[in-house]
């Protein structure tokens, strides 16, 4: 009998108000039922928000260094359970164990970084223009934060959002993607074990159209952080704009790795294999375009095809697996649809392009790593996010053309340039329209202590990770203390009196 999981609302593990549930199955073997989870409704979200408001009143009065201490203990517990969490995450969403270990480690790193920020929520102290007057700014928490996260990094992305929110003194209502509810539940269990007051964190499982929408639309949730598709993000943005909510959006990408004639070929080959087919291409930073300068195009592509065909597709919990399944049937059909679009658009399908055959694949959502060549700028497979193991190869004559093609999409998350020319490397940092540019490294690989995010339709200007996210989850308060004992008028008395 499958395990029955629950929401965590108002300090208790509870079923959805309707009693309805949904199933969570292993994408590598759909006969493997992980468990059933609550299919939450507006009523559940209402209860969660009411509890989170009570939790906020307690938590905001807790000194920030003590809030950071709780996050440090969270990191310690995650480190102790790293292998267990990696295994359950691979079972739940498919990517190989070495990748899920990295996902957990990202959460651990974020916890330890958040712990230090509990003692570094800096404001500013600046000189006043008036005599005997003190001027300063400091940071204050905002309230209840709605946290809505995707399936591809079930531990890392929730920690990117919740740990800074909590250190700043906010409470959270957390809805993990319905494809990865188990990892979300384990994260909340760890946070509670570390000493987070129960009403500060609420866990609401369910569908994005119901539970997720209810969180976004709730009038008493002033802060929303959403990671997902650009299409859904646009809807979230419209709602939050009308309701004057603070919103952080992290959405799609169509990331390019540029390889110039002078690049180190082995390094660039390793980079594109990892960037394109790590997490089965299901990363917002995945390398979905490979831009090759003409001098090395043919030789590079020949070697890339050989290495791609040698990748081992299979269950991520089996030793030796390089590429796991995509997350569900809808994702698999989307990849198949884009393969058809590529062929119909005139690109050359050189390898992959179909569901994997064989007994070991028949119960899972497996698609072969796929490469298209002779892709032209403007083709749909070159412009649109596929979110699967599909790589489009574009030939260019020089760096200027490569930079122009990199910038010619509506997204702007990540880019990579492989070259030994230091001048071109620094030009790329300036000229590529992306929030992140790597030189001689693949398009993937965020670090917890640096800001993460993109430009154009990838986001709305905010960043996850690093120091900037703490500004998103807090308000700036300015304080003036006048100890002159008399009325002083800024901009008036400043310049009407003698400055000496």
């Amino acid at each position: 009998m499958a395990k029955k999981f629950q929401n965590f609302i108002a300090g208790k593990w509870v079923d959805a108000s309707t009693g309805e549930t949904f199933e969570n199955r292993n994408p590598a073997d759909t006969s493997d039922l992980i468990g059933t989870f609550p299919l939450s409704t507006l009523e559940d979200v209402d209860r969660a928000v009411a509890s989170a408001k009570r939790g906020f009143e307690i938590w905001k009065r807790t000194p920030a260094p003590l809030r950071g201490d709780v996050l440090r203990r969270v990191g310690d517990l995650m480190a102790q359970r790293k292998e267990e969490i990696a295994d359950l995450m691979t079972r739940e969403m498919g990517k190989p164990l070495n990748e899920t270990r990295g996902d957990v480690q990202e959460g651990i790193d974020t916890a330890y970084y958040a712990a230090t920020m509990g003692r570094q929520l800096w404001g500013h102290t600046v000189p006043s223009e008036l005599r005997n007057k003190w001027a300063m700014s400091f940071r204050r928490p905002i309230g209840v934060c709605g946290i809505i996260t995707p399936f591809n990094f079930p531990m890392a992305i929730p920690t990117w959002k919740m740990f800074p929110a909590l250190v700043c003194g906010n409470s959270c209502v957390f809805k993990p993607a319905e494809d990865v509810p188990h990892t979300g539940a384990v994260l909340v269990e760890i946070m509670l074990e570390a000493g987070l007051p129960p009403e500060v964190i609420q866990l609401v499982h369910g569908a994005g159209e119901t539970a997720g929408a209810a969180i976004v639309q709730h009038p008493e949730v002033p802060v929303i952080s959403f990671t997902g598709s650009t299409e859904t993000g646009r809807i979230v943005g419209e709602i939050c704009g009308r309701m004057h909510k603070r919103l952080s959006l992290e959405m799609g990408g169509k990331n390019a790795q540029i390889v110039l004639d002078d690049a180190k070929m082995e390094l660039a080959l390793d980079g594109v294999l990892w960037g394109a087919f790590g997490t089965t291409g299901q990363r917002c930073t995945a390398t979905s375009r490979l831009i090759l300068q003409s001098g090395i195009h043919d030789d590079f592509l020949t070697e890339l095809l050989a290495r791609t065909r040698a990748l081992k597709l299979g269950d991520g919990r089996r030793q030796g697996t390089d590429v796991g399944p995509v997350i569900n049937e809808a994702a698999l059909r989307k990849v198949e649809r884009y393969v058809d679009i590529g062929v119909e658009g005139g690109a050359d399908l050189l390898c992959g392009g179909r569901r994997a055959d064989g007994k070991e694949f028949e119960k899972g959502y497996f698609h072969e790593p796929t490469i298209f060549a002779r892709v032209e700028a403007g083709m749909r497979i070159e412009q649109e996010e596929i979110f699967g193991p599909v790589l489009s190869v574009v030939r260019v004559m020089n760096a200027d053309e490569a930079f122009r093609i990199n910038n010619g999409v509506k997204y702007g998350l990540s880019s990579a340039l492989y070259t030994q020319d230091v001048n071109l490397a620094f030009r790329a940092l300036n000229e590529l329209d992306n929030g992140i540019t790597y030189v001689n490294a693949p398009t993937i690989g965020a670090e917890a202590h640096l800001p993460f995010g993109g430009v154009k339709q990838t986001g709305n200007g905010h960043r996850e990770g690093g120091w900037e996210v703490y500004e998103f989850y807090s308000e700036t308060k300015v304080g003036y203390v006048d100890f002159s004992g008399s009325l002083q008028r800024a901009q008036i008395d400043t310049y009407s009196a003698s400055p000496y």
Side-chain angles (χ1 to χ4, degrees), residues 162-179:
M162 286 196 286
F163 290 179
L166 293 168
V167 167
C168 287
N170 305 290
S171 60
C172 294
V173 178
F174 169 39
K175 195 205 85 67
E178 48 266 50
D179 289 301

Side-chain angles (χ1 to χ4, degrees), residues 466-481:
W467 55 93
E468 289 192 19
V469 70
Y470 292 84
E471 297 176 4
F472 172 75
Y473 285 111
S474 58
E475 294 281 12
T476 298
K477 178 73 177 282
V478 172
Y480 296 104
V481 179

Side-chain angles (χ1 to χ4, degrees), residues 78-97:
M78 292 172 68
Q80 292 168 20
R81 298 177 62 179
K82 183 175 178 178
E83 283 300 313
E84 171 204 345
I85 297 168
D87 185 75
L88 69 88
M89 195 190 307
T90 294
R91 182 186 177 200
E92 184 169 56
M93 61 80 59
K95 62 187 177 184
L97 283 170

